[in-house]
Amino acid sequence: MQADAKLKPDQKPRYKNTRSAFVEIARTEGLRGLYTGVGPTVQRAAILTATQIPAYDHTKHTLLNWGVMEEGIPLHITSSMIAGFLVALTTSPVDVVKTRVMNQKKQGMAGTLYTGSWNCIRRTIQTEGPLGLYKGFIPNWMRIGPHTVVTFFIFEQLRKLVGMAPV
């Protein structure tokens, strides 16, 4: 339904509401259709977490060890901003693949553009080049960047509140 925002005025949305989407997908694609995109979504979550936490921690310790910054709010915000950028860099290709796989029109597997994630990656690189995997990078970064800053800022403040030493 998010993709419906890009419809031209003469096109009508695929679904009236969430319930109608569930019913229509189950009717036309079967119950398996309700799980379209689960693989790329899980992959994205794993990549996000595997990037966000180590990037924050490594950046924070590097800035501390080089004597560039001291423990405190400016360090936490700087480290978070860098981690947010790296998260956007690593998750953008997965977001592109996830969106394309989930939004393709399908009747079973007949008529689908992509047979899966790897097929989508290959076709995107062939037709658009490697940068095709980074479509939407700026909006992704503008969404995940502030989220990362808030997450680690709160983490550091809670750590301080309960008396835990900086990690």
Side-chain angles (χ1 to χ4, degrees), residues 118-132:
W118 290 111
N119 178 258
C120 181
I121 291 168
R122 185 178 54 78
R123 285 181 156 211
T124 300
I125 291 171
Q126 284 176 340
T127 58
E128 302 171 47
L131 291 180

Side-chain angles (χ1 to χ4, degrees), residues 66-81:
W66 286 355
V68 176
M69 300 182 88
E70 295 177 357
E71 180 65 38
I73 292 173
L75 173 67
H76 304 156
I77 292 174
T78 302
S79 300
S80 297
M81 289 171 62

Side-chain angles (χ1 to χ4, degrees), residues 47-66:
I47 291 168
L48 186 146
T49 303
T51 304
Q52 191 177 47
I53 295 170
Y56 174 78
D57 191 53
H58 185 72
T59 301
K60 179 179 168 185
H61 286 284
T62 299
L63 293 173
L64 284 171
N65 292 341
W66 286 355

Side-chain angles (χ1 to χ4, degrees), residues 8 29 37 66 70 73-74 91 121-122 141 143 145 153 160:
K8 296 176 182 154
E29 301 173 36
W66 286 355
E70 295 177 357
I73 292 173
T91 60
I121 291 168
R122 185 178 54 78
W141 185 23
R143 181 177 47 87
F153 181 80
K160 185 176 174 183

Side-chain angles (χ1 to χ4, degrees), residues 21 24 95 108 137 152:
E24 180 66 18
D95 284 339
F137 174 81
F152 286 112

